[in-house]
Amino acid sequence: MNIIELKSGESTAKINLSKGANCVSLHMNGLNILRQTNSDEPDNPFLYGMPPLFPVNRISGGKFVFEGRNYDFGINEESTSCQLHGELHRQCFTLAKSRNDYALCIFKSEGEYMNFPHSFTFETEYELKNGSLHIRVGIENRSDKNMPFLFGFHTTFNLKLSDTSDIKSVRVGALVGKCVERDKDYLPTGEKYADDKITGDLLKGRFIPAKVPVSRHYEVLDDGKMFIYDLDMKKGIIYENDTAYTHRLIYNGSADEYICLEPQNCIVNAPNISGEYVPFVLPGEKKNLFSSITVFDGSQTSDI
């Protein structure tokens, strides 16, 4: 495994170049922020660090039509007959530039990626600075046709942010809009519904992830900011994402260890839903999306 470490003051981040340039470890201001694994092949590769998803989430039947062209990624989740999360998280990236607190990681495809009929360059850039991890992803379309770009991060945060913390003291907040109804295969039905107790608690920063299992797909409200706060430690983290990330998926498994706060730049299964926008990159164009994870203390909670 080709893992590099970034350092800035007391902050450290580890990037696994062999597995999608995934940030597999992040420590800032005494907090152990991202869920980690010691295994080269963890039980679920999406539930550790912040693996990149391309195409993001589920594609029904593993295929879609875009601008009259057929895209067939195959089915890798037999129970739902879907393509789930793509294969970018498994690809080897090259370290193009680096210094102690910075890394630029690159993956190139000449059309061989998952039978995806485009040549493209994908970049992930990390920088540790002033108590924050700054993340940029860039996608350059090197083909002669518009390229659909369905992307997100499966960012998995620890609930236990330090060795001495208690997950029952953790609260989660997120600026979410309407909740997207999904069917038994976790695909949008076309219906959306407004506030209920879970949504209200998220909006107020009062959701208790150690108490209630949740799997929700949301539209973004305002800037879509998300945060995790430990009442006992009076510390927390803010997760901010580019406005191009128009949707969120919030998932916490059995509500006993982690919570996934997942930015996505489209609704799940967007190309197969009439009227939904499908993000794309023009021939020769490069698009950048930005995110950051920042530590804050109790005195800053009013600024969230």
Side-chain angles (χ1 to χ4, degrees):
M1 305 295 285
N2 188 4
I3 296 178
I4 60 170
E5 184 174 61
L6 309 183
K7 293 184 178 181
S8 176
E10 296 182 357
S11 299
T12 62
K14 292 183 179 179
I15 314 301
N16 189 341
L17 293 171
S18 302
K19 297 289 185 180
N22 181 0
C23 182
V24 294
S25 171
L26 179 61
H27 292 80
M28 295 190 296
N29 196 21
L31 302 185
N32 182 15
I33 295 169
L34 296 175
R35 189 178 187 224
Q36 299 173 237
T37 177
N38 294 321
S39 172
D40 290 348
E41 295 293 338
D43 53 345
N44 186 329
F46 305 117
L47 296 179
Y48 299 92
M50 49 185 305
L53 313 178
F54 178 47
V56 65
N57 211 278
R58 289 175 174 86
I59 302 294
S60 58
K63 56 188 176 183
F64 59 80
V65 177
F66 176 73
E67 295 185 344
R69 298 185 297 276
N70 293 316
Y71 292 78
D72 192 343
F73 297 97
I75 293 170
N76 65 353
E77 189 180 50
E78 296 295 333
S79 62
T80 64
S81 297
C82 289
Q83 167 58 225
L84 177 65
H85 294 333
E87 293 292 328
L88 190 61
H89 68 284
R90 298 184 185 276
Q91 303 305 311
C92 290
F93 278 58
T94 300
L95 184 61
K97 296 180 182 178
S98 67
R99 58 177 187 263
N100 286 346
D101 59 357
Y102 169 88
L104 173 62
C105 315
I106 293 179
F107 170 75
K108 290 187 177 183
S109 172
E110 304 302 332
E112 70 277 8
Y113 176 75
M114 296 185 68
N115 298 315
F116 189 57
H118 299 274
S119 296
F120 67 90
T121 300
F122 187 92
E123 299 178 346
T124 307
E125 183 180 56
Y126 295 101
E127 184 176 19
L128 277 172
K129 182 171 64 175
N130 300 327
S132 295
L133 176 67
H134 299 271
I135 308 111
R136 176 187 67 85
V137 296
I139 183 83
E140 181 182 4
N141 179 5
R142 293 187 285 105
S143 74
D144 60 357
K145 295 179 175 62
N146 291 340
M147 183 181 79
F149 179 50
L150 320 174
F151 181 76
F153 280 111
H154 208 297
T155 315
T156 306
F157 294 97
N158 285 318
L159 294 184
K160 193 177 177 66
L161 292 172
S162 77
D163 292 339
T164 59
S165 60
D166 182 350
I167 63 173
K168 295 178 182 178
S169 74
V170 171
R171 302 293 181 266
V172 172
L175 291 177
V176 291
K178 290 182 179 179
C179 189
V180 177
E181 182 182 75
R182 295 177 295 162
D183 63 20
K184 64 180 179 60
D185 293 328
Y186 308 102
L187 298 170
T189 65
E191 298 296 321
K192 299 172 185 178
Y193 55 92
D195 293 3
D196 61 3
K197 178 170 173 44
I198 289 177
T199 301
D201 285 347
L202 285 168
L203 287 168
K204 295 173 183 176
R206 297 175 183 173
F207 178 67
I208 306 175
K211 184 177 180 180
V212 181
V214 65
S215 178
R216 293 283 186 100
H217 189 29
Y218 282 104
E219 295 177 339
V220 163
L221 179 68
D222 297 332
D223 60 4
K225 190 179 297 182
M226 299 179 280
F227 74 89
I228 301 172
Y229 183 67
D230 190 305
L231 296 171
D232 291 342
M233 291 195 299
K234 293 184 171 55
K235 289 183 179 181
I237 55 172
I238 301 174
Y239 192 19
E240 298 181 89
N241 303 102
D242 197 297
T243 55
Y245 292 104
T246 58
H247 288 75
R248 301 284 186 264
L249 203 141
I250 298 177
Y251 172 73
N252 66 346
S254 300
D256 60 355
E257 186 178 351
Y258 61 84
I259 187 163
C260 300
L261 304 179
E262 308 172 38
Q264 302 182 187
N265 73 343
C266 61
I267 195 172
V268 168
N269 201 32
N272 291 318
I273 302 176
S274 176
E276 289 292 349
Y277 175 68
V278 178
F280 65 92
V281 187
L282 296 169
E285 182 186 17
K286 180 178 180 180
K287 282 191 174 180
N288 293 302
L289 304 178
F290 299 89
S291 301
S292 65
I293 299 172
T294 303
V295 173
F296 68 92
D297 61 33
S299 65
Q300 297 170 297
T301 55
S302 61
D303 298 327
I304 297 170

